[in-house]
Each structure stands twice: as C-alpha cells, then as structure tokens.
Amino acid sequence: MSNQINIGKIVATFGTQGEVILTHALGKKVQLKGIEAIFIEITKGNRIPYFISSSKAKSTEEIFISLEGITSKEMAHKLIGKQAWLGEEDFRQLAGKQSAIALLGYTIINEGVNIGSVMEVIEQPHQILLSINYKGNEAYIPLHQESLKKINHTKKEVHVVLPDGLLEIYE
C-alpha cells in the first residue's frame, strides 16, 4: 500500500443524502475527479477507505463529497471531525505546487548540506514549520522570508539558510 498523506478533515454534513464537507490544505480549488477513494481515520491509526461517488469544489479550502454507503445525514454526521487522507500518488496529482503541503517529501538543503526530508508541514500565521528527522530527533525548520532561499520543484528540494545554532538544539 502506498504512503498516505493527511489532507484535512471532515467538518460538516451537507444536505440530507449523506454528503460531507472536507476542509483541506491542498492549496487550490479542487474536486476529487479521478480519485477512487479517500481514507478516513475512524480511530487513531485506523484509516478506512471510502469510495467517492461524487465531489464538487466549494472553495480553495473545502470540497463537497458523496461517499458510497453514506446515504443519510445521520451516517455522515459520524464522520465529522475525522481526519482525511489520500494516497501519495493521488495527493501529488491534486496538491497545488504553491501550497505548503506540497513540500511533503522534499529534501531540506541548509547552505548546501542535506539535513533531512520533510515529514510534516505545520502552517502558522506568520511562518511555516517543516518537521524533519535530524540525527534521530524530530526537528522543526522555520520557513519564512529570512530563511527560505529557493524551492526547486523539479529536484524536490527546499534550500534554506538557518539561524546559527538552530540545528544544534536538536542534536
């Protein structure tokens, strides 16, 4: 099974036929056209595939989705608050190149040195934090105007200049 990437969560029901609203971080207005299933985390670590009957973009952050087997508002209500995941291939197909979440799996290069791959993207009001595994520890790399040099989407690299001493705290 391919890796799965968290794209957001189910936030509400819509209508009476079991449709749900998914809030996502894909960075653009999308519908799940060509995507067979999404995975919904029913309990921690337990993701169940739900096959998509139809989807319609609501905004750049929300999608209306009809799922096979979910036919009433009551059934859909049980999914509210649950995390939604896509297979990595489906995710790469849908994620906007300019969205922060598209950096998952990219390599972080600090002043010419590979320091790790992006495991998680945490969006905050004034910066983005990229979580990497650095020397066996989870490290948070701030991404903002002062630290970001460039992003090479072809090579899947994020080039940064980190403040002195930042990486030492994770050793």
Side-chain angles (χ1 to χ4, degrees):
M1 182 182 276
S2 67
N3 291 337
Q4 296 169 348
I5 296 174
N6 184 310
I7 59 164
K9 71 178 179 177
I10 308 293
V11 293
T13 61
F14 180 77
T16 59
Q17 303 300 309
E19 204 169 24
V20 295
I21 299 174
L22 169 69
T23 298
H24 63 83
L26 295 170
K28 64 181 183 177
K29 198 171 184 175
V30 296
Q31 47 185 341
L32 303 177
K33 200 172 193 107
I35 307 301
E36 189 177 340
I38 62 171
F39 297 85
I40 298 178
E41 193 168 46
I42 301 304
T43 58
K44 188 78 173 153
N46 183 18
R47 299 179 205 141
I48 307 292
Y50 281 83
F51 295 97
I52 300 167
S53 299
S54 66
S55 68
K56 180 181 173 192
K58 179 180 178 195
S59 69
T60 56
E61 296 166 352
E62 292 184 325
I63 308 171
F64 295 114
I65 304 175
S66 291
L67 300 168
E68 285 183 14
I70 306 295
T71 56
S72 70
K73 187 172 187 162
E74 293 73 26
M75 292 172 84
H77 189 76
K78 292 177 182 173
L79 299 177
I80 292 176
K82 305 293 185 190
Q83 295 294 315
W85 302 69
L86 279 178
E88 187 171 7
E89 195 174 298
D90 291 339
F91 167 78
R92 294 280 174 219
Q93 176 186 329
L94 292 175
K97 281 257 191 262
Q98 302 306 314
S99 69
I101 197 170
L103 299 177
L104 283 169
Y106 278 43
T107 301
I108 305 293
I109 309 290
N110 180 41
E111 298 183 37
V113 178
N114 176 343
I115 60 170
S117 294
V118 178
M119 299 182 315
E120 182 181 10
V121 177
I122 304 162
E123 294 187 62
Q124 296 184 324
H126 300 292
Q127 74 178 1
I128 295 169
L129 289 176
L130 303 177
S131 170
I132 66 168
N133 184 338
Y134 180 72
K135 295 187 177 179
N137 296 310
E138 186 173 22
Y140 296 99
I141 306 302
L143 209 57
H144 50 74
Q145 200 169 353
E146 289 81 34
S147 66
L148 178 64
K149 270 177 50 182
K150 70 177 181 180
I151 298 174
N152 184 330
H153 290 289
T154 307
K155 293 182 177 178
K156 295 189 176 189
E157 295 176 342
V158 178
H159 292 264
V160 296
V161 176
L162 298 177
D164 290 339
L166 178 70
L167 290 176
E168 283 76 25
I169 65 175
Y170 296 110
E171 290 181 356

